[in-house]
Amino acid sequence: MKNLIVLGALSAFLLNCNKKPEAPVAEPASADTATAMEKVTDTLGPKSFCYMGVTGKDTVFVSIDDNLGTITGKMASKNSEKDSNKGDLTGFKSGDTLKLTYIFASEGKTGNKNDLYFLQTKDGLSEGIGERDAETGTKYADEKKIKYTGGRTLKTADCAMVANALK
């Protein structure tokens, strides 16, 4: 009887040793339909915005690119009774305020410089109005006293039309 038990155990052991381990059965990969159907949106690249404001016979065109808070762009003021100007905008976004430096050409003179602040809303831009520094005349004397009512108001505009006006 002992021999029979030993022989049975040995047989079971040998049968298990010769068996090859089975690879786990992988389920067929299914296409992720949610990923395939969603349009990829670049949230980190620059965002372009275009604005236009009309006051009487004067028109202002602004095109800005917001690259993670760093602002670059162009601006042109076409005035009917005084010299027009055109130039570049650089600066940064602080909350919903664009703090920009406008370097422009006007009256045949290039390199003019002026700080401009705009409050950015879903509808457009409101230019900040405030006392200028007596020494430079181009910077605001006190940023805390800038008011965003009473200045130029620019509404969102078609970028192709604005780009044509900025040429």
Side-chain angles (χ1 to χ4, degrees):
M1 178 83 163
K2 276 186 185 179
N3 287 341
L4 189 57
I5 293 174
V6 170
L7 186 61
L10 185 60
S11 296
F13 177 73
L14 289 175
L15 285 174
N16 281 332
C17 286
N18 288 333
K19 253 188 184 179
K20 293 183 179 177
E22 292 181 18
V25 177
E27 294 182 28
S30 62
D32 187 356
T33 56
T35 306
M37 300 298 276
E38 291 179 22
K39 183 179 177 186
V40 177
T41 304
D42 178 14
T43 57
L44 298 178
K47 307 289 181 274
S48 296
F49 302 95
C50 298
Y51 303 96
M52 182 178 87
V54 178
T55 305
K57 295 180 180 180
D58 301 339
T59 308
V60 177
F61 299 95
V62 174
S63 171
I64 61 170
D65 293 320
D66 181 350
N67 190 3
L68 300 174
T70 300
I71 307 293
T72 58
K74 297 200 174 292
M75 181 169 144
S77 294
K78 297 190 178 188
N79 302 311
S80 66
E81 295 185 15
K82 56 182 179 178
D83 285 341
S84 298
N85 57 66
K86 184 187 293 191
D88 295 317
L89 296 166
T90 58
F92 62 95
K93 186 172 184 175
S94 177
D96 55 1
T97 304
L98 304 179
K99 298 181 177 186
L100 307 172
T101 300
Y102 180 41
I103 300 173
F104 60 99
S106 180
E107 299 179 7
K109 188 172 136 188
T110 59
N112 297 308
K113 188 175 177 181
N114 202 13
D115 281 357
L116 298 174
Y117 286 15
F118 289 100
L119 183 66
Q120 188 176 35
T121 65
K122 64 179 181 164
D123 298 325
L125 299 175
S126 295
E127 184 178 6
I129 301 296
E131 185 179 332
R132 297 291 178 161
D133 177 54
E135 187 176 314
T136 64
T138 62
K139 298 186 178 298
Y140 292 104
D142 187 355
E143 288 184 21
K144 294 176 185 172
K145 292 183 179 180
I146 297 173
K147 296 190 182 340
Y148 294 94
T149 56
R152 290 186 280 199
T153 302
L154 310 177
K155 299 291 183 188
T156 55
D158 176 55
C159 284
M161 186 259 314
V162 170
N164 190 42
L166 292 171
K167 287 182 183 179

mmCIF file of all heavy atoms in Angstrom, residues 28-70:
data_model
loop_
_atom_site.group_PDB
_atom_site.id
_atom_site.type_symbol
_atom_site.label_atom_id
_atom_site.label_comp_id
_atom_site.label_asym_id
_atom_site.label_seq_id
_atom_site.Cartn_x
_atom_site.Cartn_y
_atom_site.Cartn_z
ATOM 1 N N PRO A 28 -8.458 40.812 -26.390
ATOM 2 C CA PRO A 28 -8.101 41.628 -27.552
ATOM 3 C C PRO A 28 -8.237 43.112 -27.207
ATOM 4 O O PRO A 28 -9.175 43.521 -26.542
ATOM 5 C CB PRO A 28 -9.100 41.214 -28.633
ATOM 6 C CG PRO A 28 -10.190 40.484 -27.929
ATOM 7 C CD PRO A 28 -9.625 39.965 -26.640
ATOM 8 N N ALA A 29 -7.250 43.885 -27.656
ATOM 9 C CA ALA A 29 -7.251 45.324 -27.376
ATOM 10 C C ALA A 29 -8.389 45.983 -28.135
ATOM 11 O O ALA A 29 -8.521 45.822 -29.344
ATOM 12 C CB ALA A 29 -5.925 45.948 -27.791
ATOM 13 N N SER A 30 -9.208 46.700 -27.396
ATOM 14 C CA SER A 30 -10.299 47.407 -28.060
ATOM 15 C C SER A 30 -9.890 48.860 -28.230
ATOM 16 O O SER A 30 -9.215 49.429 -27.381
ATOM 17 C CB SER A 30 -11.585 47.317 -27.225
ATOM 18 O OG SER A 30 -11.381 47.947 -25.980
ATOM 19 N N ALA A 31 -10.267 49.425 -29.300
ATOM 20 C CA ALA A 31 -9.936 50.829 -29.563
ATOM 21 C C ALA A 31 -10.653 51.702 -28.549
ATOM 22 O O ALA A 31 -11.823 51.492 -28.258
ATOM 23 C CB ALA A 31 -10.348 51.211 -30.979
ATOM 24 N N ASP A 32 -9.949 52.661 -28.006
ATOM 25 C CA ASP A 32 -10.544 53.592 -27.060
ATOM 26 C C ASP A 32 -11.339 54.614 -27.855
ATOM 27 O O ASP A 32 -10.810 55.588 -28.366
ATOM 28 C CB ASP A 32 -9.449 54.273 -26.233
ATOM 29 C CG ASP A 32 -10.014 55.122 -25.115
ATOM 30 O OD1 ASP A 32 -11.260 55.241 -25.018
ATOM 31 O OD2 ASP A 32 -9.221 55.668 -24.345
ATOM 32 N N THR A 33 -12.628 54.357 -27.968
ATOM 33 C CA THR A 33 -13.454 55.203 -28.823
ATOM 34 C C THR A 33 -13.575 56.616 -28.267
ATOM 35 O O THR A 33 -13.712 57.556 -29.014
ATOM 36 C CB THR A 33 -14.858 54.605 -29.003
ATOM 37 O OG1 THR A 33 -15.429 54.410 -27.702
ATOM 38 C CG2 THR A 33 -14.796 53.306 -29.761
ATOM 39 N N ALA A 34 -13.490 56.780 -26.956
ATOM 40 C CA ALA A 34 -13.593 58.125 -26.390
ATOM 41 C C ALA A 34 -12.414 58.973 -26.833
ATOM 42 O O ALA A 34 -12.566 60.135 -27.192
ATOM 43 C CB ALA A 34 -13.657 58.064 -24.874
ATOM 44 N N THR A 35 -11.215 58.379 -26.832
ATOM 45 C CA THR A 35 -10.030 59.125 -27.244
ATOM 46 C C THR A 35 -10.052 59.386 -28.742
ATOM 47 O O THR A 35 -9.677 60.442 -29.198
ATOM 48 C CB THR A 35 -8.747 58.353 -26.870
ATOM 49 O OG1 THR A 35 -8.804 58.056 -25.480
ATOM 50 C CG2 THR A 35 -7.512 59.162 -27.163
ATOM 51 N N ALA A 36 -10.485 58.410 -29.513
ATOM 52 C CA ALA A 36 -10.483 58.567 -30.959
ATOM 53 C C ALA A 36 -11.492 59.619 -31.415
ATOM 54 O O ALA A 36 -11.293 60.262 -32.426
ATOM 55 C CB ALA A 36 -10.794 57.232 -31.626
ATOM 56 N N MET A 37 -12.560 59.822 -30.668
ATOM 57 C CA MET A 37 -13.609 60.738 -31.084
ATOM 58 C C MET A 37 -13.351 62.179 -30.633
ATOM 59 O O MET A 37 -13.873 63.102 -31.208
ATOM 60 C CB MET A 37 -14.961 60.278 -30.503
ATOM 61 C CG MET A 37 -15.366 58.883 -30.968
ATOM 62 S SD MET A 37 -15.578 58.787 -32.731
ATOM 63 C CE MET A 37 -17.216 59.374 -32.882
ATOM 64 N N GLU A 38 -12.560 62.369 -29.585
ATOM 65 C CA GLU A 38 -12.328 63.709 -29.070
ATOM 66 C C GLU A 38 -11.318 64.453 -29.926
ATOM 67 O O GLU A 38 -10.312 63.905 -30.327
ATOM 68 C CB GLU A 38 -11.796 63.655 -27.633
ATOM 69 C CG GLU A 38 -12.817 63.179 -26.636
ATOM 70 C CD GLU A 38 -12.240 63.111 -25.229
ATOM 71 O OE1 GLU A 38 -11.235 63.800 -24.974
ATOM 72 O OE2 GLU A 38 -12.782 62.372 -24.428
ATOM 73 N N LYS A 39 -11.604 65.710 -30.176
ATOM 74 C CA LYS A 39 -10.671 66.554 -30.907
ATOM 75 C C LYS A 39 -9.623 67.052 -29.923
ATOM 76 O O LYS A 39 -9.954 67.523 -28.834
ATOM 77 C CB LYS A 39 -11.417 67.729 -31.529
ATOM 78 C CG LYS A 39 -10.542 68.617 -32.366
ATOM 79 C CD LYS A 39 -11.331 69.754 -32.972
ATOM 80 C CE LYS A 39 -10.405 70.653 -33.751
ATOM 81 N NZ LYS A 39 -11.085 71.830 -34.246
ATOM 82 N N VAL A 40 -8.365 66.972 -30.293
ATOM 83 C CA VAL A 40 -7.281 67.411 -29.427
ATOM 84 C C VAL A 40 -7.215 68.933 -29.461
ATOM 85 O O VAL A 40 -7.165 69.535 -30.532
ATOM 86 C CB VAL A 40 -5.932 66.796 -29.874
ATOM 87 C CG1 VAL A 40 -4.797 67.316 -29.020
ATOM 88 C CG2 VAL A 40 -5.999 65.287 -29.821
ATOM 89 N N THR A 41 -7.228 69.541 -28.287
ATOM 90 C CA THR A 41 -7.161 70.987 -28.175
ATOM 91 C C THR A 41 -5.860 71.364 -27.493
ATOM 92 O O THR A 41 -5.563 70.879 -26.409
ATOM 93 C CB THR A 41 -8.351 71.519 -27.359
ATOM 94 O OG1 THR A 41 -9.560 71.078 -27.957
ATOM 95 C CG2 THR A 41 -8.324 73.030 -27.298
ATOM 96 N N ASP A 42 -5.106 72.239 -28.128
ATOM 97 C CA ASP A 42 -3.852 72.705 -27.560
ATOM 98 C C ASP A 42 -4.164 73.808 -26.559
ATOM 99 O O ASP A 42 -4.550 74.912 -26.938
ATOM 100 C CB ASP A 42 -2.934 73.234 -28.667
ATOM 101 C CG ASP A 42 -1.622 73.783 -28.135
ATOM 102 O OD1 ASP A 42 -1.301 73.528 -26.960
ATOM 103 O OD2 ASP A 42 -0.911 74.450 -28.905
ATOM 104 N N THR A 43 -3.995 73.496 -25.271
ATOM 105 C CA THR A 43 -4.294 74.494 -24.249
ATOM 106 C C THR A 43 -3.052 75.261 -23.826
ATOM 107 O O THR A 43 -3.148 76.211 -23.078
ATOM 108 C CB THR A 43 -4.906 73.829 -23.006
ATOM 109 O OG1 THR A 43 -3.993 72.839 -22.516
ATOM 110 C CG2 THR A 43 -6.233 73.181 -23.336
ATOM 111 N N LEU A 44 -1.884 74.841 -24.304
ATOM 112 C CA LEU A 44 -0.654 75.497 -23.882
ATOM 113 C C LEU A 44 -0.091 76.464 -24.913
ATOM 114 O O LEU A 44 0.751 77.280 -24.594
ATOM 115 C CB LEU A 44 0.414 74.446 -23.541
ATOM 116 C CG LEU A 44 0.061 73.518 -22.389
ATOM 117 C CD1 LEU A 44 1.160 72.497 -22.190
ATOM 118 C CD2 LEU A 44 -0.173 74.303 -21.114
ATOM 119 N N GLY A 45 -0.522 76.370 -26.142
ATOM 120 C CA GLY A 45 0.008 77.240 -27.187
ATOM 121 C C GLY A 45 -0.559 78.649 -27.077
ATOM 122 O O GLY A 45 -1.449 78.936 -26.278
ATOM 123 N N PRO A 46 -0.029 79.566 -27.873
ATOM 124 C CA PRO A 46 -0.507 80.949 -27.820
ATOM 125 C C PRO A 46 -1.958 81.065 -28.266
ATOM 126 O O PRO A 46 -2.401 80.331 -29.135
ATOM 127 C CB PRO A 46 0.429 81.686 -28.777
ATOM 128 C CG PRO A 46 1.139 80.661 -29.553
ATOM 129 C CD PRO A 46 1.042 79.362 -28.822
ATOM 130 N N LYS A 47 -2.655 81.994 -27.657
ATOM 131 C CA LYS A 47 -4.041 82.279 -28.015
ATOM 132 C C LYS A 47 -4.060 83.658 -28.663
ATOM 133 O O LYS A 47 -3.463 84.593 -28.145
ATOM 134 C CB LYS A 47 -4.925 82.283 -26.771
ATOM 135 C CG LYS A 47 -4.827 81.044 -25.903
ATOM 136 C CD LYS A 47 -5.452 79.852 -26.570
ATOM 137 C CE LYS A 47 -5.403 78.612 -25.723
ATOM 138 N NZ LYS A 47 -4.224 77.830 -25.817
ATOM 139 N N SER A 48 -4.741 83.772 -29.782
ATOM 140 C CA SER A 48 -4.807 85.045 -30.509
ATOM 141 C C SER A 48 -6.167 85.686 -30.303
ATOM 142 O O SER A 48 -7.197 85.005 -30.337
ATOM 143 C CB SER A 48 -4.566 84.816 -31.995
ATOM 144 O OG SER A 48 -3.262 84.343 -32.196
ATOM 145 N N PHE A 49 -6.152 86.992 -30.092
ATOM 146 C CA PHE A 49 -7.363 87.764 -29.909
ATOM 147 C C PHE A 49 -7.262 89.036 -30.738
ATOM 148 O O PHE A 49 -6.186 89.611 -30.847
ATOM 149 C CB PHE A 49 -7.548 88.158 -28.433
ATOM 150 C CG PHE A 49 -7.590 86.990 -27.497
ATOM 151 C CD1 PHE A 49 -6.442 86.577 -26.844
ATOM 152 C CD2 PHE A 49 -8.767 86.300 -27.279
ATOM 153 C CE1 PHE A 49 -6.470 85.503 -25.974
ATOM 154 C CE2 PHE A 49 -8.802 85.222 -26.410
ATOM 155 C CZ PHE A 49 -7.649 84.822 -25.756
ATOM 156 N N CYS A 50 -8.380 89.465 -31.298
ATOM 157 C CA CYS A 50 -8.397 90.674 -32.114
ATOM 158 C C CYS A 50 -9.525 91.581 -31.643
ATOM 159 O O CYS A 50 -10.609 91.109 -31.291
ATOM 160 C CB CYS A 50 -8.587 90.322 -33.584
ATOM 161 S SG CYS A 50 -7.238 89.312 -34.222
ATOM 162 N N TYR A 51 -9.235 92.886 -31.656
ATOM 163 C CA TYR A 51 -10.187 93.862 -31.151
ATOM 164 C C TYR A 51 -10.206 95.091 -32.060
ATOM 165 O O TYR A 51 -9.225 95.387 -32.730
ATOM 166 C CB TYR A 51 -9.794 94.318 -29.738
ATOM 167 C CG TYR A 51 -9.682 93.184 -28.758
ATOM 168 C CD1 TYR A 51 -8.452 92.598 -28.485
ATOM 169 C CD2 TYR A 51 -10.810 92.696 -28.105
ATOM 170 C CE1 TYR A 51 -8.350 91.555 -27.577
ATOM 171 C CE2 TYR A 51 -10.711 91.652 -27.205
ATOM 172 C CZ TYR A 51 -9.480 91.086 -26.935
ATOM 173 O OH TYR A 51 -9.386 90.053 -26.053
ATOM 174 N N MET A 52 -11.342 95.800 -32.008
ATOM 175 C CA MET A 52 -11.488 97.029 -32.777
ATOM 176 C C MET A 52 -12.389 97.970 -31.980
ATOM 177 O O MET A 52 -13.365 97.527 -31.364
ATOM 178 C CB MET A 52 -12.114 96.738 -34.133
ATOM 179 C CG MET A 52 -12.255 97.963 -35.013
ATOM 180 S SD MET A 52 -12.936 97.567 -36.635
ATOM 181 C CE MET A 52 -14.663 97.678 -36.279
ATOM 182 N N GLY A 53 -12.030 99.251 -31.987
ATOM 183 C CA GLY A 53 -12.855 100.250 -31.327
ATOM 184 C C GLY A 53 -13.031 101.460 -32.228
ATOM 185 O O GLY A 53 -12.076 101.897 -32.873
ATOM 186 N N VAL A 54 -14.246 101.964 -32.279
ATOM 187 C CA VAL A 54 -14.540 103.127 -33.113
ATOM 188 C C VAL A 54 -15.101 104.223 -32.215
ATOM 189 O O VAL A 54 -16.047 104.003 -31.459
ATOM 190 C CB VAL A 54 -15.561 102.783 -34.222
ATOM 191 C CG1 VAL A 54 -15.900 104.021 -35.045
ATOM 192 C CG2 VAL A 54 -15.042 101.665 -35.099
ATOM 193 N N THR A 55 -14.476 105.407 -32.305
ATOM 194 C CA THR A 55 -14.957 106.588 -31.584
ATOM 195 C C THR A 55 -15.039 107.709 -32.605
ATOM 196 O O THR A 55 -14.009 108.185 -33.090
ATOM 197 C CB THR A 55 -13.986 106.980 -30.445
ATOM 198 O OG1 THR A 55 -13.789 105.854 -29.594
ATOM 199 C CG2 THR A 55 -14.537 108.139 -29.646
ATOM 200 N N GLY A 56 -16.253 108.087 -32.939
ATOM 201 C CA GLY A 56 -16.431 109.109 -33.985
ATOM 202 C C GLY A 56 -15.859 108.597 -35.296
ATOM 203 O O GLY A 56 -16.261 107.563 -35.805
ATOM 204 N N LYS A 57 -14.855 109.326 -35.838
ATOM 205 C CA LYS A 57 -14.215 108.915 -37.089
ATOM 206 C C LYS A 57 -12.871 108.222 -36.835
ATOM 207 O O LYS A 57 -12.152 107.928 -37.780
ATOM 208 C CB LYS A 57 -14.000 110.137 -37.983
ATOM 209 C CG LYS A 57 -15.287 110.773 -38.456
ATOM 210 C CD LYS A 57 -14.985 111.964 -39.343
ATOM 211 C CE LYS A 57 -16.257 112.620 -39.832
ATOM 212 N NZ LYS A 57 -15.977 113.774 -40.696
ATOM 213 N N ASP A 58 -12.537 108.013 -35.572
ATOM 214 C CA ASP A 58 -11.267 107.374 -35.217
ATOM 215 C C ASP A 58 -11.487 105.882 -34.956
ATOM 216 O O ASP A 58 -12.500 105.489 -34.361
ATOM 217 C CB ASP A 58 -10.672 108.014 -33.958
ATOM 218 C CG ASP A 58 -10.408 109.501 -34.128
ATOM 219 O OD1 ASP A 58 -10.290 109.959 -35.288
ATOM 220 O OD2 ASP A 58 -10.322 110.205 -33.104
ATOM 221 N N THR A 59 -10.513 105.074 -35.380
ATOM 222 C CA THR A 59 -10.610 103.626 -35.202
ATOM 223 C C THR A 59 -9.302 103.090 -34.642
ATOM 224 O O THR A 59 -8.222 103.505 -35.061
ATOM 225 C CB THR A 59 -10.905 102.929 -36.554
ATOM 226 O OG1 THR A 59 -12.046 103.548 -37.149
ATOM 227 C CG2 THR A 59 -11.190 101.460 -36.365
ATOM 228 N N VAL A 60 -9.417 102.141 -33.715
ATOM 229 C CA VAL A 60 -8.258 101.482 -33.122
ATOM 230 C C VAL A 60 -8.369 99.990 -33.412
ATOM 231 O O VAL A 60 -9.438 99.392 -33.247
ATOM 232 C CB VAL A 60 -8.204 101.705 -31.589
ATOM 233 C CG1 VAL A 60 -7.035 100.957 -30.981
ATOM 234 C CG2 VAL A 60 -8.118 103.173 -31.277
ATOM 235 N N PHE A 61 -7.253 99.408 -33.862
ATOM 236 C CA PHE A 61 -7.182 97.976 -34.137
ATOM 237 C C PHE A 61 -6.109 97.365 -33.238
ATOM 238 O O PHE A 61 -5.003 97.907 -33.131
ATOM 239 C CB PHE A 61 -6.795 97.720 -35.602
ATOM 240 C CG PHE A 61 -7.771 98.288 -36.589
ATOM 241 C CD1 PHE A 61 -7.564 99.545 -37.146
ATOM 242 C CD2 PHE A 61 -8.895 97.571 -36.954
ATOM 243 C CE1 PHE A 61 -8.460 100.070 -38.062
ATOM 244 C CE2 PHE A 61 -9.796 98.091 -37.877
ATOM 245 C CZ PHE A 61 -9.586 99.339 -38.434
ATOM 246 N N VAL A 62 -6.423 96.236 -32.607
ATOM 247 C CA VAL A 62 -5.461 95.551 -31.738
ATOM 248 C C VAL A 62 -5.515 94.059 -32.023
ATOM 249 O O VAL A 62 -6.586 93.464 -32.112
ATOM 250 C CB VAL A 62 -5.770 95.801 -30.241
ATOM 251 C CG1 VAL A 62 -4.856 94.963 -29.351
ATOM 252 C CG2 VAL A 62 -5.638 97.261 -29.898
ATOM 253 N N SER A 63 -4.329 93.482 -32.167
ATOM 254 C CA SER A 63 -4.182 92.032 -32.313
ATOM 255 C C SER A 63 -3.177 91.581 -31.264
ATOM 256 O O SER A 63 -2.058 92.106 -31.218
ATOM 257 C CB SER A 63 -3.667 91.703 -33.719
ATOM 258 O OG SER A 63 -3.328 90.340 -33.797
ATOM 259 N N ILE A 64 -3.577 90.637 -30.398
ATOM 260 C CA ILE A 64 -2.649 90.172 -29.365
ATOM 261 C C ILE A 64 -2.566 88.648 -29.365
ATOM 262 O O ILE A 64 -3.513 87.957 -29.729
ATOM 263 C CB ILE A 64 -3.037 90.671 -27.955
ATOM 264 C CG1 ILE A 64 -4.415 90.156 -27.544
ATOM 265 C CG2 ILE A 64 -2.965 92.163 -27.857
ATOM 266 C CD1 ILE A 64 -4.731 90.414 -26.087
ATOM 267 N N ASP A 65 -1.401 88.175 -28.978
ATOM 268 C CA ASP A 65 -1.166 86.750 -28.764
ATOM 269 C C ASP A 65 -0.814 86.567 -27.301
ATOM 270 O O ASP A 65 0.108 87.212 -26.797
ATOM 271 C CB ASP A 65 -0.013 86.244 -29.636
ATOM 272 C CG ASP A 65 -0.351 86.286 -31.116
ATOM 273 O OD1 ASP A 65 -1.501 85.949 -31.463
ATOM 274 O OD2 ASP A 65 0.526 86.662 -31.913
ATOM 275 N N ASP A 66 -1.555 85.708 -26.626
ATOM 276 C CA ASP A 66 -1.325 85.424 -25.207
ATOM 277 C C ASP A 66 -0.687 84.043 -25.120
ATOM 278 O O ASP A 66 -1.321 83.039 -25.387
ATOM 279 C CB ASP A 66 -2.657 85.455 -24.453
ATOM 280 C CG ASP A 66 -2.505 85.195 -22.970
ATOM 281 O OD1 ASP A 66 -1.410 84.804 -22.521
ATOM 282 O OD2 ASP A 66 -3.499 85.383 -22.242
ATOM 283 N N ASN A 67 0.587 84.010 -24.780
ATOM 284 C CA ASN A 67 1.312 82.749 -24.637
ATOM 285 C C ASN A 67 1.608 82.531 -23.161
ATOM 286 O O ASN A 67 2.631 82.974 -22.654
ATOM 287 C CB ASN A 67 2.601 82.771 -25.461
ATOM 288 C CG ASN A 67 3.253 81.409 -25.536
ATOM 289 O OD1 ASN A 67 2.732 80.437 -25.022
ATOM 290 N ND2 ASN A 67 4.397 81.344 -26.181
ATOM 291 N N LEU A 68 0.653 81.893 -22.465
ATOM 292 C CA LEU A 68 0.766 81.608 -21.039
ATOM 293 C C LEU A 68 1.026 82.868 -20.217
ATOM 294 O O LEU A 68 1.824 82.880 -19.290
ATOM 295 C CB LEU A 68 1.854 80.566 -20.778
ATOM 296 C CG LEU A 68 1.647 79.206 -21.442
ATOM 297 C CD1 LEU A 68 2.855 78.321 -21.233
ATOM 298 C CD2 LEU A 68 0.393 78.547 -20.919
ATOM 299 N N GLY A 69 0.358 83.958 -20.578
ATOM 300 C CA GLY A 69 0.467 85.194 -19.815
ATOM 301 C C GLY A 69 1.451 86.201 -20.374
ATOM 302 O O GLY A 69 1.468 87.350 -19.944
ATOM 303 N N THR A 70 2.285 85.791 -21.317
ATOM 304 C CA THR A 70 3.193 86.721 -21.979
ATOM 305 C C THR A 70 2.487 87.229 -23.224
ATOM 306 O O THR A 70 2.082 86.443 -24.076
ATOM 307 C CB THR A 70 4.523 86.032 -22.351
ATOM 308 O OG1 THR A 70 5.133 85.540 -21.148
ATOM 309 C CG2 THR A 70 5.459 87.000 -23.048
#
